Amino acid sequence: MSKEFRFGIVAGLAPDAAAWTATARRAEDLGYSTLLVPDTLGTLPPLLAMTAAATVTTTLRVGTFVLAAPYRNPPQVAHELAGLDFLSSGRLEVGVGAGRAAAEEEARALGMPYGTAGERVALVRSLIDEVRAAFTRSGTTVQRQGPPILVAGAGPRMLALAAEKADIVALAVPPATPEEGLRGPVGTLREMAGARFDDIELSMNLLQVGEGPPPWVPGGLTAPSPDAAAVLRGSPREMAGTLLRRRDELGLSYITVNGFYADALAPVVELLAGR
């Protein structure tokens, strides 16, 4: 059975607190399921931003996209996430990853060891286990079995971990990957997860909606290729048709997009959310 469509926006910047809470309310009003906050030194601290967003909304779920395990002390962050679950009335989702391209430099700035690829994957595992244990121990969490855990990855190590531990898997493929290139990671995950695969929600982040390239592509760098799977073009019904086909063929049902494109994707959200 295909999973129902969900949509989320990824945001982590605002000129002031009022603008940030307005972003959260706008996401809820447009029908998005989640507001996801990245974990970088150039964006708002994710757990604080998520708490502020949760206090001004009623149905919007809040999540990390994604917590960089090399920056984090697993028991401490698990304790804080349990508190955030309470403050959000159980609307918490937790995304975890082994670190973006700039994560090593940011870990150094924070005085944290970055570690090898294997050590970072082990940290992701430890963080997931600590979160689930903290929710079981706590008397205040709403989601007593723990929040949905999203693991971002496309390589064999992270997919193996996701196959074992994740509730949601975000396909972290390179920006230029064509739609056909999604089949490999999905097939690998299916093989590794076995019977668990049908319980896993598959997710993908869109880098561009419509014809305009994302404004954050610096000069000299290349915008996403027109045939990249992360680029969604056409009328709202044409875009909805593309996503329906991908769900039927690949199982992708949880679609996220940068907050810059929240309004551009909103007509598609209206057509597909909950279907």
Side-chain angles (χ1 to χ4, degrees), residues 164-236:
E164 179 188 351
K165 297 281 188 181
D167 302 296
I168 309 162
V169 177
L171 299 179
V173 295
T177 302
E179 186 172 308
E180 189 63 27
L182 303 177
R183 297 185 186 277
V186 171
T188 299
L189 180 66
R190 181 187 294 275
E191 182 178 347
M192 290 176 166
R196 272 200 83 235
F197 182 79
D198 289 339
D199 296 327
I200 296 173
E201 186 177 38
L202 291 184
S203 178
M204 182 176 180
N205 188 53
L206 300 174
L207 297 180
Q208 180 178 325
V209 176
E211 298 303 318
W216 54 85
V217 176
L221 295 184
T222 305
S225 168
D227 65 349
V231 175
L232 196 62
R233 285 193 167 97
S235 69

Side-chain angles (χ1 to χ4, degrees), residues 28-40:
E28 184 172 70
D29 291 343
L30 289 174
Y32 286 90
S33 171
T34 51
L35 172 61
L36 305 170
V37 186
D39 187 15
T40 81

Side-chain angles (χ1 to χ4, degrees), residues 14-255:
D16 52 45
W20 174 251
T21 53
T23 295
R25 286 191 293 265
R26 178 68 173 160
E28 184 172 70
D29 291 343
L30 289 174
Y32 286 90
S33 171
T34 51
L35 172 61
L36 305 170
V37 186
D39 187 15
T40 81
L41 295 186
T43 50
L44 291 168
L47 304 192
L48 295 176
M50 290 157 60
T51 302
T55 61
V56 298
T57 54
T58 56
T59 61
L60 188 72
R61 298 181 68 81
V62 292
T64 51
F65 196 76
V66 293
L67 280 178
Y71 302 174
R72 303 292 176 175
N73 175 284
Q76 179 181 4
V77 76
H79 172 69
E80 293 175 358
L81 288 167
L84 206 164
D85 185 70
F86 170 77
L87 293 171
S88 67
S89 301
R91 290 182 281 137
L92 174 69
E93 297 184 7
V94 178
V96 190
R100 330 167 353 266
E104 184 170 9
E105 182 179 340
E106 293 188 347
R108 190 180 305 115
L110 291 168
M112 300 291 287
Y114 189 63
T116 65
E119 289 168 339
R120 298 197 307 276
V121 172
L123 273 173
V124 174
R125 176 183 294 275
S126 176
L127 201 158
I128 293 171
D129 289 343
E130 287 286 352
V131 168
R132 291 201 164 124
F135 275 64
T136 300
R137 291 191 303 266
S138 174
T140 60
T141 55
V142 179
Q143 301 180 100
R144 295 305 299 274
Q145 300 305 310
I149 300 290
L150 178 150
V151 171
R157 281 178 172 164
M158 287 301 290
L159 286 178
L161 177 60
E164 179 188 351
K165 297 281 188 181
D167 302 296
I168 309 162
V169 177
L171 299 179
V173 295
T177 302
E179 186 172 308
E180 189 63 27
L182 303 177
R183 297 185 186 277
V186 171
T188 299
L189 180 66
R190 181 187 294 275
E191 182 178 347
M192 290 176 166
R196 272 200 83 235
F197 182 79
D198 289 339
D199 296 327
I200 296 173
E201 186 177 38
L202 291 184
S203 178
M204 182 176 180
N205 188 53
L206 300 174
L207 297 180
Q208 180 178 325
V209 176
E211 298 303 318
W216 54 85
V217 176
L221 295 184
T222 305
S225 168
D227 65 349
V231 175
L232 196 62
R233 285 193 167 97
S235 69
R237 291 202 174 274
E238 288 170 335
M239 290 190 281
T242 297
L243 296 181
L244 281 164
R245 178 175 49 75
R246 289 179 184 176
R247 184 179 67 174
D248 291 344
E249 295 179 4
L250 299 169
L252 288 162
S253 61
Y254 183 18
I255 309 302

